[in-house]
Amino acid sequence: MLGYYLMLPRLGHLRTLEAESMHIMREVASEFQRPVMLYSIGKDSSVMLRLAQKAFYPAPFPFPLLHIDTGYKFREMITFRDEYTASIKANLIVHKNQQALDNGTNPVELGTARCCGLLKTKSLLDGLREGGFDAALGGARRDEERSRAKERIYSFRDARGQWDPKNQRPELWNLYNGRVDPGESIRIFPLSNWTEMDVWHYIHIERIPIVPLYFAAERSMLVRGETLIPVEQPFMKPMPGEKPELVRCRMRSLGCSPCTGAIRSDADTVPKIIEELVSFRRSERENRVIDHDQEGSMEIKKREGYF
Amino acid sequence: MPLVTRTALRTDLEIEALLAEDQAKDLLRFTTAGSVDDGKSTLIGRLLYDSKNVFEDHIRSVAKASANRGNGTLDLSLLTDGLRAEREQGITIDVAYRYFTTSKRKFIIADTPGHEQYTRNMATGASTADLAIVLIDARNGVLPQSRRHAFIASLLGIPNLVVAVNKMDAVRYDEGVFRWIESEFGRFLDDLRVPAAYFLPISALVGDNVVTRSEAMHWFKGPSLLEHLETVEVASTAPDSEFRFPVQYVIRPNQDFRGYAGQIGSGFIRPGDEVLVLPAGRKSRVKSIASFDGDLDLAHAPMSVTLTLEDNIDISRGDMLACPIQKPLVSRQFEAHVVWMSETALHPNTPLLLKHTTQMVAAEVKSIEHRINIRTLEAEPTDTLALNEIGILRIAASKPLYFDPYRENRATGCFSLIDPGTNATVGAGMIIREVAEQRRRTVERRNVLTPVTLAERNLRWGHTGAVVSYGDRPQLGVILERELFERGAVVVRLAHQPSDAEREQAISAGLLLLVPGDADIALSSDDQDAANALIEQLALSGVLVSDELTGGKGI
């Protein structure tokens, strides 16, 4: 023994999650030939970047970032992406399905499912193949959707990029199995055990930069009932008699501007956003009838990026 | 119309105070094992519902589903997706992770089905848990499966156990029923050497003693399940637990910085503390604990940190920094509990890969000592281990591991087994003790048609593959080659620098390759002394493992 008594506190939950995520990223950097981090510009991606910086400090993190650009991201997202990744000296790869865009692919013409299939899913698989990446780090969390509760931290994909939920490897202790045959790959989710609230708290205590669209501001929107639709793309046409209005609002999740709704909000700081999320909960706890987006209290069902 | 009905928003300062409070919360990971019939899904649903961790839209959908089933009340088991539905759909029943929070703690539930054939899932969920809840149906009393759950929890070293006697409403809240189960199961836990279990009577259906204390059972004075979960002392880094730091990654941004990154397995470390470097066998002191947020004065488990040392020692992934007084065990062979997780049964001498801390090594099962009958918990002889069976195995790794018995240290006592053919994870292992190397190799019967593996070569030759530099001293190379050859090593001396491919080939073939070049350690000018020193170094570093080669100098 060391001859003196030292009572150590239990690590707080955020620091425990941070340590786990750093461990996972270091495992990936150690055991794969060509790892890449998928970067969606959203808040979870910002947290991933900070964790990667911490895991390999003082060296730069040893993998590039891959952004699947659908061509319809908010302009503010692209500006943020370019400025922030340059400021931390990250190696950013942008992949776009230019052919589909040239063919006029957009959600209004094709429907969201086909549009996402061409501009996100196909583009992602192409981007991974072109880069020869055998491991892709992503920011998905288990609390996003109930169906993800059984997703592994290391999610195995066969040579066609498919996931087989019936045949997952048991994940024991912190011993991850990253063995793959040529052509196969693994998606790795270091934020698996984080909740949405954890992500916001971490952004707050770490002062992590995020896209300003998350904060409330006066923005030009088409108002359809409770739905606020941003007008950035020419194919998002107002209905007869409809005019964009200035509304104080913010985005709860960031995707392509035609498919991302805004919410009315005054939350212009991270603590206020957290308070807003808590108050949604509180309202629900008190069993009041609330009128908000059916699709996603607490952004639980959001599908940010392509995961 | 306002978007959300809500009370007035708090000020930034008030929110900051709440956030600070929230950050201080620690994380409790617990596992619940039980079958549908035990009311496990109802219990988890009740915990989430009564602790107000369920969203309105979720409750609405459950209410609708309950109504569809012609059930007037809210069926809380549906909140956790319902294992029944999954079973009907033929989806593999698996570990599901759920998250909730209260004003005192954050929780992660590893929800696993408890049937016999899901031993593998229970073990997986239990591997990271701080606490296990065993559910016993008050109407049925202690069943073999209750014992099985407790056994797996104790095998996986979960420090805290809760025994929840459920469905008390169905036995008219009879204290006698509870006390009888408590005494019977308590004796069983004593036999398992489970340190402390908290027994409580509950009704998940009605809500008694789950979140709020029961009005119907005034005879029970203990805290409710949630109160217990919120306040139970979780084994923290005990002051006397030894420092263990498996090196995960070497960070070297420039010539001036060489940092060893890893997650502290146990204990704590401060700048100036002495550490033993394994397998080098050398001691050094911690120069700094480098971090993105500035150097730290103290780091402890389970933090992920980067350490720099005072001395320049060749350290790479898979090596370990440890407390120099309370050293880990170092051995190539050991005995372990193994939960077998593959459809293909395990036979002795099957080549496997073994992942332990941050190393992956070739390994083979030397023998299956016995199997533990999961129904009777008795040991029985066997030649094979089938899916979901638990056995005590003797395992030989191709190089020494640095470990502690699992009961003393979960981080350095656990390992997983991987099938090198399919890459599947096939076993969970918990080290019991080291096994002394046998002096005389026994001739083993094996299938002569399978290719010779690296593990077999290492066992036969008594050393792993390595490239050893004899510097610019040809005579030293000759002496070293002769010494090693006479002791039985498979050694080849080259007069030229090998290519990287040749080096890798030699190492992966298990050969000792002697090459000219820069020697990284200072050696005596006497060639014989230098050769002896190099051999000793090879023994200490775990390259030479058999007694014939080390002359008993191995660690």
Side-chain angles (χ1 to χ4, degrees):
Chain A
M1 316 295 162
L2 291 156
Y4 51 86
Y5 187 84
L6 182 62
M7 197 61 205
L8 296 169
R10 284 255 302 166
L11 210 53
H13 69 278
L14 286 175
R15 296 302 171 201
T16 305
L17 293 170
E18 176 188 70
E20 178 180 86
S21 302
M22 286 166 68
H23 173 82
I24 293 164
M25 288 186 182
R26 288 164 171 176
E27 280 301 284
V28 171
S30 303
E31 291 197 322
F32 290 92
Q33 301 289 320
R34 278 185 69 75
V36 67
M37 181 182 281
L38 299 171
Y39 179 63
S40 74
I41 322 179
K43 63 184 194 308
D44 305 85
S45 274
S46 282
V47 167
M48 288 278 281
L49 285 185
R50 174 57 54 88
L51 291 166
Q53 286 179 293
K54 290 195 172 199
F56 301 98
Y57 176 88
F61 48 84
F63 33 74
L65 305 179
L66 175 62
H67 176 231
I68 302 304
D69 189 352
T70 60
Y72 297 130
K73 299 295 174 191
F74 288 94
R75 279 184 294 272
E76 279 179 78
M77 288 174 71
I78 302 300
T79 308
F80 178 88
R81 176 194 76 189
D82 293 341
E83 287 178 6
Y84 187 52
T85 57
S87 77
I88 63 168
K89 298 188 177 62
N91 171 14
L92 174 72
I93 302 167
V94 176
H95 189 91
K96 219 181 220 183
N97 186 349
Q98 194 58 51
Q99 200 192 344
L101 282 169
D102 291 346
N103 291 342
T105 302
N106 75 50
V108 175
E109 305 285 331
L110 284 183
T112 51
R114 284 199 62 201
C115 184
C116 278
L118 285 167
L119 298 181
K120 284 185 182 171
T121 314
K122 180 175 186 308
S123 193
L124 170 65
L125 293 176
D126 289 348
L128 291 176
R129 195 172 49 244
E130 279 171 31
F133 300 116
D134 56 353
L137 289 150
R141 305 185 316 271
R142 289 202 186 108
D143 84 327
E144 283 174 58
E145 275 187 80
R146 270 184 287 162
S147 62
R148 291 202 78 255
K150 295 175 182 187
E151 175 82 77
R152 298 293 192 267
I153 291 173
Y154 272 47
S155 179
F156 176 82
R157 303 297 156 110
D158 65 19
R160 287 171 300 143
Q162 307 281 309
W163 178 55
D164 179 6
K166 293 184 192 176
N167 190 20
Q168 300 195 79
R169 296 172 176 175
E171 230 156 51
L172 299 153
W173 297 285
N174 61 356
L175 303 173
Y176 302 103
N177 176 357
R179 303 252 316 167
V180 288
D181 284 336
E184 298 169 344
S185 64
I186 300 227
R187 303 268 171 89
I188 297 108
F189 305 114
L191 303 184
S192 286
N193 283 325
W194 294 57
T195 63
E196 162 144 64
M197 207 50 119
D198 296 331
V199 166
W200 280 114
H201 276 202
Y202 194 70
I203 286 170
H204 178 61
I205 61 170
E206 290 282 327
R207 309 272 176 242
I208 295 172
I210 52 170
V211 183
L213 288 164
Y214 282 114
F215 298 113
E218 302 283 328
R219 294 188 173 90
S220 179
M221 293 280 157
L222 291 175
V223 182
R224 291 178 190 164
E226 280 305 320
T227 311
L228 304 176
I229 300 163
V231 263
E232 272 212 2
Q233 297 296 335
F235 53 78
M236 295 304 286
K237 295 193 177 73
M239 294 201 278
E242 198 177 44
K243 259 197 210 148
E245 295 172 31
L246 270 184
V247 183
R248 189 159 173 83
C249 62
R250 66 178 204 89
M251 308 293 160
R252 284 166 63 186
S253 63
L254 292 183
C256 300
S257 68
C259 298
T260 303
I263 54 161
R264 290 175 193 271
S265 169
D266 283 325
D268 53 4
T269 64
V270 175
K272 280 181 187 155
I273 289 173
I274 294 172
E275 167 65 2
E276 186 182 87
L277 293 171
V278 173
S279 77
F280 285 153
R281 270 195 178 195
R282 209 185 317 133
S283 310
E284 286 169 343
R285 287 176 188 183
E286 289 162 9
N287 225 6
R288 291 184 197 159
V289 180
I290 53 166
D291 186 6
H292 65 93
D293 180 11
Q294 273 290 107
E295 279 305 302
S297 54
M298 289 284 282
E299 302 174 32
I300 273 172
K301 287 163 196 153
K302 85 176 171 52
R303 290 165 193 271
E304 185 179 28
Y306 15 72
F307 274 103
Chain B
M1 192 178 120
L3 189 70
V4 180
T5 319
R6 61 191 170 200
T7 48
L9 288 180
R10 288 179 266 242
T11 67
D12 274 14
L13 255 171
E14 285 167 331
I15 301 166
E16 293 272 0
L18 284 173
L19 288 178
E21 212 171 88
D22 193 78
Q23 281 152 35
K25 290 180 196 169
D26 64 1
L27 186 64
L28 183 86
R29 297 178 200 238
F30 69 93
T31 176
T32 52
S35 65
V36 174
D37 307 330
D38 290 333
K40 179 175 65 83
S41 298
T42 308
L43 174 64
I44 295 174
R46 172 65 66 187
L47 261 180
L48 299 181
Y49 185 75
D50 284 4
S51 65
K52 314 214 186 319
N53 273 280
V54 188
F55 297 104
E56 180 67 23
D57 58 340
H58 198 171
I59 293 171
R60 271 199 300 270
S61 71
V62 166
K64 213 169 123 193
S66 304
N68 288 347
R69 289 187 176 194
N71 191 338
T73 56
L74 203 57
D75 183 352
L76 290 173
S77 72
L78 296 175
L79 281 174
T80 56
D81 269 354
L83 289 171
R84 274 169 290 196
E86 287 176 1
R87 192 177 290 165
E88 282 155 18
Q89 290 163 24
I91 297 171
T92 308
I93 295 179
D94 209 327
V95 188
Y97 295 89
R98 306 179 198 287
Y99 305 82
F100 75 103
T101 181
T102 70
S103 60
K104 304 229 171 56
R105 259 191 178 142
K106 289 254 178 180
F107 298 93
I108 300 178
I109 314 178
D111 181 11
T112 64
H115 241 254
E116 193 176 321
Q117 58 263 45
Y118 306 121
T119 297
R120 153 179 124 148
N121 297 329
M122 271 197 279
T124 304
S127 70
T128 51
D130 306 307
L131 180 146
I133 300 176
V134 173
L135 268 177
I136 295 181
D137 186 329
R139 297 168 308 175
N140 301 331
V142 178
L143 294 178
Q145 76 172 26
S146 326
R147 295 201 179 90
R148 191 161 62 235
H149 298 161
F151 173 66
I152 290 168
S154 91
L155 189 69
L156 271 293
I158 301 180
N160 295 283
L161 195 67
V162 171
V163 182
V165 179
N166 191 22
K167 306 197 183 178
M168 287 302 293
D169 55 310
V171 295
R172 298 183 311 281
Y173 300 106
D174 182 352
E175 182 177 7
V177 172
F178 173 72
R179 297 294 173 207
W180 191 78
I181 292 173
E182 182 181 38
S183 94
E184 189 193 352
F185 204 58
R187 272 198 305 278
F188 172 74
L189 294 181
D190 287 345
D191 292 345
L192 280 182
R193 292 192 296 153
V194 170
Y198 178 59
F199 282 79
L200 83 166
I202 65 168
S203 166
L205 191 68
V206 184
D208 296 285
N209 283 338
V210 178
V211 170
T212 47
R213 296 193 190 194
S214 172
E215 288 298 314
M217 290 180 278
H218 287 294
W219 47 266
F220 184 78
K221 305 290 180 218
S224 73
L225 178 61
L226 185 66
E227 288 173 306
H228 181 73
L229 294 175
E230 285 181 326
T231 53
V232 62
E233 285 278 335
V234 182
S236 169
T237 307
D240 60 348
S241 81
E242 305 81 13
F243 179 66
R244 300 285 184 263
F245 185 75
V247 175
Q248 198 183 2
Y249 190 90
V250 180
I251 294 176
R252 207 166 184 194
N254 55 55
Q255 292 300 311
D256 304 327
F257 187 94
R258 191 180 174 91
Y260 305 106
Q263 185 167 22
I264 300 176
S266 60
F268 63 92
I269 195 78
R270 301 183 311 178
D273 285 351
E274 195 175 50
V275 289
L276 173 69
V277 182
L278 292 166
R282 290 181 57 187
K283 288 179 189 171
S284 185
R285 281 182 191 283
V286 173
K287 190 159 102 188
S288 69
I289 306 170
S291 100
F292 184 83
D293 308 297
D295 284 1
L296 307 179
D297 297 329
L298 170 79
H300 59 89
M303 291 165 73
S304 283
V305 295
T306 299
L307 306 178
T308 66
L309 299 183
E310 298 277 2
D311 304 281
N312 199 0
I313 303 176
D314 185 22
I315 299 173
S316 50
R317 175 175 167 87
D319 294 357
M320 181 182 278
L321 308 182
C323 168
I325 300 156
Q326 299 286 328
K327 293 181 247 193
L329 301 170
V330 181
S331 175
R332 225 165 45 79
Q333 290 201 36
F334 51 84
E335 203 168 84
H337 284 111
V338 167
V339 180
W340 190 247
M341 303 183 156
S342 167
E343 307 276 351
T344 314
L346 170 72
H347 298 268
N349 301 322
T350 311
L352 292 165
L353 291 169
L354 185 152
K355 191 160 188 192
H356 173 258
T357 61
T358 53
Q359 32 181 359
M360 179 97 85
V361 298
E364 74 175 354
V365 173
K366 304 298 291 179
S367 62
I368 302 176
E369 302 292 296
H370 56 257
R371 167 175 61 205
I372 296 165
N373 184 316
I374 200 81
R375 279 170 290 274
T376 62
L377 299 184
E378 279 167 10
E380 52 193 34
T382 181
D383 295 327
T384 63
L385 211 57
L387 176 66
N388 289 313
E389 289 188 337
I390 299 168
I392 293 187
L393 274 52
R394 282 196 177 199
I395 294 176
S398 57
K399 53 185 280 207
L401 303 181
Y402 330 112
F403 62 86
D404 300 278
Y406 186 79
R407 273 200 175 269
E408 291 166 25
N409 194 319
R410 284 173 99 183
T412 58
C414 70
F415 62 90
S416 65
L417 294 170
I418 294 165
D419 180 333
T422 63
N423 292 333
T425 303
V426 292
M430 290 133 287
I431 300 175
I432 301 166
R433 66 176 77 87
E434 66 182 315
V435 173
E437 307 253 346
Q438 286 167 340
R439 277 189 161 269
R440 198 175 299 162
R441 288 180 211 102
T442 50
V443 180
E444 290 145 6
R445 275 161 35 120
R446 60 172 67 246
N447 185 345
V448 291
L449 295 177
T450 58
V452 177
T453 64
L454 178 59
E456 287 177 282
R457 286 180 215 280
N458 295 344
L459 281 176
R460 171 73 55 90
W461 298 340
H463 59 78
T464 65
V467 178
V468 184
S469 170
Y470 55 80
D472 53 358
R473 296 160 64 179
Q475 189 56 28
L476 170 59
V478 171
I479 293 174
L480 197 57
E481 182 185 29
R482 173 58 64 185
E483 286 279 349
L484 289 167
F485 180 75
E486 292 303 328
R487 296 178 192 206
V490 180
V491 56
V492 178
R493 177 174 50 91
L494 297 183
H496 64 274
Q497 280 279 7
S499 67
D500 286 350
E502 285 172 324
R503 282 171 180 268
E504 281 195 18
Q505 276 170 8
I507 290 173
S508 59
L511 295 175
L512 289 178
L513 198 59
L514 307 184
V515 303
D518 301 329
D520 23 325
I521 54 172
L523 290 170
S524 156
S525 59
D526 181 276
D527 288 329
Q528 184 65 52
D529 287 351
N532 291 344
L534 276 171
I535 289 171
E536 192 166 338
Q537 195 62 39
L538 288 172
L540 282 171
S541 62
V543 172
L544 307 180
V545 284
S546 71
D547 287 348
E548 289 88 339
L549 285 172
T550 62
K553 280 183 183 157
I555 40 175

